[in-house]
Amino acid sequence: MQVESIAKALGDESRRKIVELLKDGELPASTIFEQFNYAAPTISRHLSVLKEAGIVNTRRNGVFIYYSLEKQALEVIYNWLAPLLGIAAEKPKATPKERSSKPKVKVETNPFEKFQSEF
């Protein structure tokens, strides 16, 4: 993901509105189309530009296409702008490592051993 392609994709007001719609989570294409007074092919083109820039992801469920934000693309822009604005850029978070725990060995005892020793 390059800053240029992301910035170019976000340069259009309609595409910025789509990004704002997706900030709260995944939406089907039909819901996005309803928010505009443009023809569906126009919005489809805007969604394609956002997808090509890596700003949105798609997921197909049957005949429906769902769109969601790819936050890593927005982080690229943020990290580029942060030094210019005097903000410390966020460092990528390390993924938590799994603890290697040894499986507990269960010692099997015969419940009748206790009684056998009494006889």
Side-chain angles (χ1 to χ4, degrees), residues 15 18-19 22 28-30 32-33 36 40-53 55-58 65 67:
R15 292 192 281 267
I18 292 170
V19 169
L22 295 172
S30 59
I32 296 170
F33 293 156
F36 295 91
T42 303
I43 302 305
S44 286
R45 179 64 188 143
H46 286 306
L47 288 166
S48 294
V49 170
L50 290 170
K51 185 176 179 181
E52 289 169 11
I55 298 171
V56 298
N57 290 320
T58 58
I65 299 175
Y67 289 87

Coordinates of all heavy atoms in Angstrom, one line a residue, residues 15 18-19 22 28-30 32-33 36 40-53 55-58 65 67:
R15 N -16.0 8.9 -2.0 CA -15.3 7.8 -1.4 C -15.0 8.0 0.1 O -15.0 7.1 0.9 CB -14.0 7.6 -2.2 CG -14.3 7.0 -3.6 CD -13.0 6.6 -4.3 NE -12.2 7.6 -4.9 CZ -12.3 8.0 -6.1 NH1 -13.2 7.5 -7.0 NH2 -11.4 8.9 -6.5
I18 N -18.0 7.0 1.9 CA -18.1 5.5 2.0 C -17.2 5.0 3.1 O -17.7 4.2 3.9 CB -17.7 4.8 0.6 CG1 -18.7 5.1 -0.4 CG2 -17.5 3.3 0.8 CD1 -18.3 4.7 -1.8
V19 N -16.0 5.6 3.2 CA -15.1 5.2 4.3 C -15.8 5.6 5.7 O -15.7 4.8 6.6 CB -13.8 5.9 4.2 CG1 -12.9 5.8 5.4 CG2 -13.0 5.4 3.0
L22 N -18.3 3.0 6.7 CA -17.8 1.8 7.1 C -17.0 1.8 8.4 O -16.5 0.8 8.9 CB -16.8 1.2 6.0 CG -17.5 0.9 4.6 CD1 -16.5 0.5 3.6 CD2 -18.5 -0.3 4.8
P28 N -23.4 -4.2 3.7 CA -23.6 -4.8 2.4 C -23.6 -3.7 1.4 O -23.9 -2.5 1.7 CB -25.0 -5.4 2.5 CG -25.7 -4.8 3.6 CD -24.6 -4.3 4.6
A29 N -23.3 -4.0 0.1 CA -23.3 -3.0 -0.9 C -24.6 -2.3 -1.1 O -24.6 -1.0 -1.3 CB -22.9 -3.7 -2.3
S30 N -25.7 -3.0 -0.9 CA -27.0 -2.3 -1.1 C -27.2 -1.2 -0.1 O -27.8 -0.2 -0.4 CB -28.1 -3.4 -0.9 OG -28.0 -4.0 0.3
I32 N -24.9 0.7 1.2 CA -24.0 1.8 0.8 C -24.7 2.5 -0.4 O -24.7 3.7 -0.4 CB -22.6 1.2 0.4 CG1 -21.9 0.6 1.6 CG2 -21.8 2.4 -0.2 CD1 -20.6 -0.1 1.3
F33 N -25.2 1.7 -1.3 CA -25.9 2.4 -2.5 C -27.0 3.3 -2.1 O -27.3 4.3 -2.7 CB -26.4 1.3 -3.5 CG -25.4 0.5 -4.2 CD1 -25.7 -0.8 -4.7 CD2 -24.1 1.0 -4.4 CE1 -24.8 -1.5 -5.3 CE2 -23.1 0.2 -5.0 CZ -23.5 -1.0 -5.5
F36 N -26.6 7.2 -1.3 CA -26.2 8.1 -2.4 C -27.4 8.3 -3.4 O -28.2 7.4 -3.6 CB -25.0 7.6 -3.1 CG -23.7 7.6 -2.3 CD1 -23.4 6.4 -1.6 CD2 -22.9 8.7 -2.2 CE1 -22.3 6.4 -0.8 CE2 -21.8 8.6 -1.4 CZ -21.5 7.5 -0.7
A40 N -26.1 3.1 -9.3 CA -25.4 2.0 -8.7 C -24.0 1.8 -9.4 O -23.0 1.6 -8.7 CB -26.2 0.7 -8.7
P41 N -23.9 1.9 -10.7 CA -22.5 1.7 -11.3 C -21.5 2.8 -10.9 O -20.3 2.5 -10.8 CB -22.8 1.8 -12.8 CG -24.2 1.4 -13.0 CD -24.9 1.9 -11.8
T42 N -22.0 4.0 -10.6 CA -21.1 5.0 -10.1 C -20.5 4.7 -8.7 O -19.3 4.8 -8.5 CB -21.8 6.4 -10.0 OG1 -22.4 6.7 -11.3 CG2 -20.9 7.5 -9.6
I43 N -21.4 4.2 -7.9 CA -21.0 3.8 -6.5 C -20.1 2.6 -6.6 O -19.1 2.5 -5.9 CB -22.2 3.6 -5.6 CG1 -23.0 4.9 -5.5 CG2 -21.7 3.2 -4.2 CD1 -22.3 6.1 -5.1
S44 N -20.4 1.7 -7.5 CA -19.6 0.5 -7.7 C -18.2 0.9 -8.1 O -17.2 0.2 -7.6 CB -20.2 -0.4 -8.8 OG -21.3 -1.1 -8.3
R45 N -18.1 1.9 -8.9 CA -16.8 2.3 -9.4 C -16.0 2.9 -8.2 O -14.8 2.6 -8.0 CB -16.9 3.3 -10.5 CG -15.6 3.9 -11.0 CD -14.7 2.8 -11.6 NE -13.4 3.3 -11.9 CZ -12.3 2.6 -11.7 NH1 -12.3 1.4 -11.4 NH2 -11.1 3.2 -12.0
H46 N -16.7 3.7 -7.4 CA -16.0 4.3 -6.2 C -15.5 3.1 -5.2 O -14.4 3.2 -4.7 CB -17.0 5.2 -5.4 CG -17.2 6.5 -6.1 ND1 -16.2 7.3 -6.5 CD2 -18.3 7.1 -6.4 CE1 -16.7 8.4 -7.0 NE2 -18.0 8.3 -7.0
L47 N -16.4 2.1 -5.1 CA -16.0 1.0 -4.2 C -14.8 0.3 -4.8 O -13.9 -0.2 -4.1 CB -17.2 0.1 -4.0 CG -18.3 0.6 -3.1 CD1 -19.5 -0.2 -3.3 CD2 -17.8 0.6 -1.7
S48 N -14.7 0.1 -6.1 CA -13.6 -0.5 -6.8 C -12.3 0.2 -6.6 O -11.3 -0.4 -6.4 CB -13.9 -0.7 -8.3 OG -15.0 -1.5 -8.5
V49 N -12.4 1.6 -6.7 CA -11.2 2.4 -6.5 C -10.7 2.2 -5.0 O -9.5 2.1 -4.8 CB -11.5 3.9 -6.8 CG1 -10.4 4.8 -6.3 CG2 -11.8 4.1 -8.3
L50 N -11.6 2.2 -4.1 CA -11.2 2.0 -2.7 C -10.6 0.6 -2.5 O -9.6 0.5 -1.7 CB -12.4 2.2 -1.8 CG -12.9 3.6 -1.6 CD1 -14.3 3.7 -0.9 CD2 -11.9 4.5 -0.9
K51 N -11.2 -0.4 -3.1 CA -10.6 -1.7 -3.0 C -9.3 -1.8 -3.6 O -8.3 -2.4 -3.1 CB -11.6 -2.7 -3.6 CG -11.2 -4.2 -3.4 CD -12.2 -5.1 -4.0 CE -11.7 -6.6 -3.8 NZ -12.6 -7.6 -4.3
E52 N -9.1 -1.2 -4.8 CA -7.8 -1.3 -5.5 C -6.7 -0.6 -4.7 O -5.5 -1.0 -4.7 CB -7.9 -0.6 -6.9 CG -8.7 -1.4 -7.9 CD -9.0 -0.7 -9.1 OE1 -8.4 0.4 -9.4 OE2 -9.8 -1.2 -9.9
A53 N -7.1 0.5 -3.9 CA -6.1 1.2 -3.1 C -5.9 0.4 -1.8 O -5.0 0.8 -1.0 CB -6.6 2.6 -2.8
I55 N -8.1 0.1 0.7 CA -8.8 0.8 1.8 C -10.0 -0.1 2.3 O -10.3 0.0 3.5 CB -9.2 2.2 1.4 CG1 -8.0 3.0 1.0 CG2 -10.1 2.9 2.5 CD1 -8.3 4.3 0.4
V56 N -10.6 -0.8 1.4 CA -11.7 -1.7 1.8 C -11.5 -3.1 1.4 O -10.7 -3.4 0.5 CB -13.1 -1.2 1.2 CG1 -13.5 0.2 1.7 CG2 -13.1 -1.3 -0.3
N57 N -12.1 -4.0 2.1 CA -12.1 -5.4 1.8 C -13.5 -5.8 1.4 O -14.5 -5.2 1.8 CB -11.7 -6.2 3.1 CG -10.2 -6.1 3.4 OD1 -9.4 -6.0 2.6 ND2 -10.0 -6.0 4.7
T58 N -13.6 -6.9 0.7 CA -14.9 -7.4 0.4 C -15.0 -8.9 0.8 O -14.0 -9.6 1.0 CB -15.1 -7.4 -1.2 OG1 -14.1 -8.2 -1.8 CG2 -15.1 -6.0 -1.7
I65 N -22.5 -8.8 -1.5 CA -21.1 -8.4 -1.3 C -21.1 -7.5 -0.1 O -21.8 -6.5 0.0 CB -20.5 -7.7 -2.5 CG1 -20.5 -8.7 -3.7 CG2 -19.0 -7.3 -2.2 CD1 -20.0 -8.0 -5.0
Y67 N -18.8 -5.0 2.4 CA -17.6 -4.2 2.4 C -17.2 -3.8 3.9 O -18.0 -3.6 4.7 CB -17.8 -2.9 1.6 CG -17.8 -3.1 0.2 CD1 -19.1 -3.4 -0.4 CD2 -16.7 -3.0 -0.6 CE1 -19.1 -3.7 -1.8 CE2 -16.8 -3.3 -2.0 CZ -18.0 -3.6 -2.6 OH -18.1 -3.8 -3.9

